Amino acid sequence: MTPSLHLWLIPALPLLGAAINGFFGRRFSRQAVSGVALTFAGAAFLMALYVAARFSSLELPYTEFLAHWIRSGSGPHIFVAEFEFYLDQLTLVMLLVVTGVGFLIHIYSVGYMWEEGGFYRFFAYLNLFMFFMLTLVLAGNYLQMFIGWEGVGLASYLLIGFWFTKDSAASAGKKAFIVNRIGDFGFLIALFLLIKHFGSLNFAQVFTSVSQLPGEMAGFGLLTSIGLLLMVGAAGKSAQIPLYVWLPDAMEGPTPVSALIHAATMVTAGVYMVARSHVIFDRAPNALTVVAIIGTLTALFAATIGIAQTDIKKVLAYSTVSQLGYMFMACGVAAYSAGIFHLMTHAFFKGLLFLGAGSVIHAVGGEQDMRKMGGLKQYIPITFITMSVATLAIAGIWPFAGFFSKDEILARAYEANPAYWFIGVTTAFITSFYMFRLWFMTFWGDYRGRDSAGHADPHGHGGHGHGDPHESPMVMLVPLMILAVLSFVGGWVGIGGRFEHFLAPVFGEGASTVATEALSHGTELALMAISLGAAGLGWYLAYLLYLKRPELPQKMADMLGGLYQAVVNKYYIDEIYATLFVKPLVDGSTRILWHGVDQGVIDAAVNDAADGARHVSDAARHMQSGNLRSYAGWLAAGGAVVIAYMIWMGVR
């Protein structure tokens, strides 16, 4: 019998840290607050490493029962949901990513947030987020996963709106919360269907039952419906069309929040959920096709918006949406291992890009507009080197991490449908262009921000007292260096199919309903060369427009006119949503709440009660006339009523 690994400690440790800082952090010094947060986040990472060290000796999948949770019904209709933790190869990858990258971001946050108010509150929220994300990853059933799923949504709301006195931050937090609720509604209906038709939400029981069903090759049956509803939930959490609109606005939160939640962990929860549910999707090819189409279109659509953004964090936000689209495209062609591979490498280089952007923002006194940067490589050399590594990785340049995972996705997409591959390569070109555009605008040329250097920043990074940008403290730079190493070598684990082989026990041979043929070696080399060529072309175009001929972008913008304005304004999607959904709902809710509930129920109850009391008092007042004959008449009438009642009761 395998001794217990005590998996429950991994999420419990950050929860304890959140509780200590949340309840008592106001009385602690900043050193004590950061010490508590780092200790418990680091301990969770060490526990994950311990599990990884013991992993090869386990009988997988490994389940650790913790407590009885829900038992309802009787006989064959009993429904049982236990509180238990589930460990396999997929869980281990997610555990190491969440705890490892999460711990580095905790370290970085100490330096970035040191001067901020609410320091203890920020770290309590960070620890709380890690607890819920680890609960989601370790869940042994869909109900427990849903608890973590909702919990990360709550923590995201708290962290995005951390600067709650700022209207835009508060609105961004509410927007993220509401849009995610739309996706969660689909997820919940999928869970209800699983309970109704399979009587369980336990992964092992559900997948065993589903595996005995034939694939739904045509039409929309039960499994297709469940798959589509699960994808609705995933689209909300992982910011896919049409529910992606919350993630760019979430950049209103502190930069470490952007790195932790919107690059490395939370937004990948939808990808993880689809991959975990692969048994359902394997037998629902129509649902799988929808996943592929949504992912492919999201990848291209978000990348085109990123071209024209000038806020350094907004560029990275749309890049995140685009890269998540790549992961869904991989899952949609049943290349689940490739999707998880890109999830892992993306956590490295996109986490690094966000933290590097935070270091840049810190260096220039809170400025986020790239048009007011330039030439920063001479002022912040370590930030420049580490962000250069991340830029090369996301652009898909060999031998950086992003090259291997993106190449794997494109190859599998080509096997399934060349149209996916073509859009993927086009997206790779655009990605390379806007990332090198960011790189050139931020670090090359002349520094353009002297007029605004040292200005006060509402986030607390202004007023450094000197005009020139400066490098960040080592507590912020060390995480950048570690992530830079991972962004360089992190993709090497996929050489020779080793990563896919590691995850093979989870995903098996892939989707039984998706027939693909292995590519020849020559075809693989050709696809690889085209991908590298697209990345190189993106670099050259960015070099030409933003370093060699910096006057050209404005001329091109003037020439494109309305098209350029549409891209700058993100195709007016937020405005369209506001017109079609937000304003009618708000106005309708106002009418219902004000006219229907407030006036029709609350005011009516009070006013009608007052009117009734007045009428009764008027009637009673007329009875008190002072006339003896009137009083005698009322007494006689009352006596007659009493006698009549007694006679009636006697007759009965």
Side-chain angles (χ1 to χ4, degrees):
M1 180 177 178
T2 303
S4 175
L5 292 176
H6 301 293
L7 292 176
W8 63 273
L9 279 172
I10 301 178
L13 286 165
L15 177 62
L16 182 57
I20 293 173
N21 274 333
F23 289 115
F24 309 110
R26 186 188 294 270
R27 303 181 184 90
F28 293 169
S29 66
R30 291 178 185 265
Q31 290 85 350
V33 168
S34 55
V36 168
L38 294 183
T39 296
F40 287 101
F45 177 52
L46 291 177
M47 277 296 300
L49 291 177
Y50 168 73
V51 170
R54 295 278 308 279
F55 192 75
S56 60
S57 63
L58 299 176
E59 183 179 342
L60 299 172
Y62 170 85
T63 302
E64 197 168 280
F65 173 81
L66 196 65
H68 294 296
W69 190 8
I70 298 174
R71 288 177 179 267
S72 64
S74 60
H77 303 292
I78 189 171
F79 171 74
V80 177
E82 310 287 15
F83 202 85
E84 59 188 8
F85 293 120
Y86 184 89
L87 177 68
D88 61 4
Q89 291 82 354
L90 177 58
T91 309
L92 181 64
V93 172
M94 295 299 295
L95 270 184
L96 293 173
V97 168
V98 173
T99 58
V101 177
F103 179 54
L104 291 175
I105 293 170
H106 273 70
I107 296 173
Y108 176 95
S109 300
V110 173
Y112 192 86
M113 301 296 292
W114 190 259
E115 301 296 331
E116 295 290 346
F119 188 77
Y120 77 95
R121 184 166 50 88
F122 179 81
F123 279 98
Y125 293 164
L126 273 191
N127 277 181
L128 183 66
F129 170 81
M130 282 194 67
F131 160 71
F132 281 123
M133 189 67 198
L134 291 168
T135 298
L136 187 159
V137 168
L138 284 165
N141 56 69
Y142 279 108
L143 187 58
Q144 195 174 330
M145 176 189 278
F146 190 73
I147 298 299
W149 188 273
E150 291 296 287
V152 294
L154 169 64
S156 173
Y157 166 75
L158 294 173
L159 286 165
I160 294 168
F162 176 75
W163 287 305
F164 55 86
T165 57
K166 187 182 177 187
D167 288 341
S168 58
S171 298
K174 288 185 287 187
K175 185 175 184 179
F177 195 82
I178 292 169
V179 172
N180 272 274
R181 295 293 73 72
I182 297 170
D184 296 348
F185 182 68
F187 192 3
L188 267 178
I189 297 176
L191 300 193
F192 295 153
L193 288 175
L194 289 173
I195 294 172
K196 176 176 175 57
H197 292 279
F198 302 111
S200 177
L201 292 176
N202 179 273
F203 291 148
Q205 292 177 314
V206 168
F207 298 156
T208 299
S209 299
V210 169
S211 64
Q212 297 171 358
L213 300 177
E216 297 176 352
M217 305 303 294
F220 288 82
L222 171 65
L223 298 181
T224 302
S225 300
I226 292 173
L228 291 175
L229 289 167
L230 290 176
M231 182 56 197
V232 171
K237 195 67 69 184
S238 293
Q240 298 295 285
I241 291 174
L243 302 178
Y244 72 93
V245 291
W246 68 269
L247 192 143
D249 286 17
M251 297 302 108
E252 289 291 338
T255 299
V257 174
S258 304
L260 178 65
I261 295 181
H262 310 117
T265 53
M266 184 188 115
V267 291
T268 60
V271 180
Y272 168 75
M273 186 260 282
V274 170
R276 175 62 72 197
S277 308
H278 71 97
V279 177
I280 296 172
F281 285 96
D282 287 350
R283 284 155 183 78
N286 288 326
L288 211 56
T289 300
V290 170
V291 173
I293 291 173
I294 288 177
T296 305
L297 294 180
T298 301
L300 179 62
F301 180 78
T304 60
I305 297 178
I307 290 174
Q309 298 302 304
T310 55
D311 184 314
I312 189 171
K313 287 177 65 177
K314 285 291 181 71
V315 175
L316 298 178
Y318 283 104
S319 171
T320 298
V321 177
S322 180
Q323 295 302 306
L324 289 166
Y326 262 110
M327 299 174 206
F328 277 103
M329 178 170 67
C331 291
V333 298
Y336 305 106
S337 295
I340 298 300
F341 187 22
H342 197 58
L343 182 156
M344 181 187 73
T345 61
H346 179 264
F348 300 152
F349 59 69
K350 185 54 67 62
L352 173 55
L353 284 167
F354 269 114
L355 296 186
S359 183
V360 169
I361 294 166
H362 181 275
V364 295
E367 183 61 67
Q368 296 183 195
D369 191 335
M370 297 184 297
R371 293 170 297 185
K372 298 178 182 179
M373 298 179 186
L376 292 180
K377 62 186 177 71
Q378 61 181 316
Y379 298 104
I380 48 175
I382 298 177
T383 300
F384 166 68
I385 293 170
T386 54
M387 280 198 75
S388 297
V389 171
T391 303
L392 291 167
I394 193 174
I397 304 298
W398 184 89
F400 296 86
F403 165 80
F404 296 97
S405 56
K406 189 177 290 188
D407 185 67
E408 180 69 19
I409 291 175
L410 291 175
R412 295 298 299 272
Y414 184 84
E415 292 177 21
N417 189 329
Y420 297 150
W421 170 84
F422 178 76
I423 296 175
V425 170
T426 303
T427 303
F429 158 70
I430 298 173
T431 301
S432 177
F433 170 72
Y434 68 65
M435 285 308 306
F436 281 111
R437 169 181 177 265
L438 179 153
W439 190 61
F440 284 121
M441 289 183 71
T442 303
F443 295 108
W444 295 82
D446 297 324
Y447 181 50
R448 301 180 293 275
R450 296 194 184 280
D451 293 339
S452 58
H455 73 280
D457 173 55
H459 296 173
H461 299 296
H464 291 297
H466 45 80
D468 288 337
H470 61 287
E471 188 63 277
S472 299
M474 287 304 295
V475 70
M476 294 170 63
L477 294 178
V478 169
L480 297 185
M481 297 174 191
I482 296 173
L483 287 172
V485 172
L486 292 172
S487 297
F488 182 67
V489 306
W492 298 359
V493 297
I495 296 175
R498 286 179 294 181
F499 191 82
E500 185 174 7
H501 177 72
F502 177 73
L503 291 177
V506 179
F507 300 125
E509 298 301 321
S512 58
T513 55
V514 180
T516 60
E517 296 182 1
L519 297 175
S520 67
H521 185 63
T523 303
E524 287 184 350
L525 289 177
L527 294 177
M528 190 183 303
I530 293 173
S531 177
L532 281 171
L537 183 60
W539 169 85
Y540 177 74
L541 187 59
Y543 164 78
L544 180 65
L545 294 178
Y546 293 95
L547 189 62
K548 191 73 173 176
R549 300 282 302 279
E551 75 282 359
L552 285 180
Q554 186 58 51
K555 293 180 179 179
M556 294 177 66
D558 295 338
M559 182 178 65
L560 292 172
L563 178 60
Y564 175 77
Q565 288 301 317
V567 175
V568 168
N569 289 284
K570 299 159 285 190
Y571 300 110
Y572 304 101
I573 298 298
D574 283 307
E575 289 79 2
I576 293 171
Y577 280 12
T579 301
L580 294 180
F581 304 114
V582 178
K583 194 172 186 298
L585 283 173
V586 171
D587 291 347
S589 299
T590 300
R591 284 194 297 271
I592 293 171
L593 290 174
W594 175 248
H595 298 291
V597 178
D598 192 54
Q599 291 186 337
V601 177
I602 299 173
D603 286 353
V606 175
N607 295 335
D608 290 350
D611 289 341
R614 186 175 67 251
H615 292 318
V616 171
S617 64
D618 284 343
R621 180 169 55 83
H622 287 301
M623 292 173 62
Q624 304 296 326
S625 63
N627 190 313
L628 290 176
R629 286 183 298 178
S630 176
Y631 293 157
W634 282 113
L635 286 173
V641 171
V642 171
I643 293 170
Y645 174 75
M646 293 176 66
I647 293 173
W648 180 70
M649 290 297 292
V651 171
R652 291 190 65 192

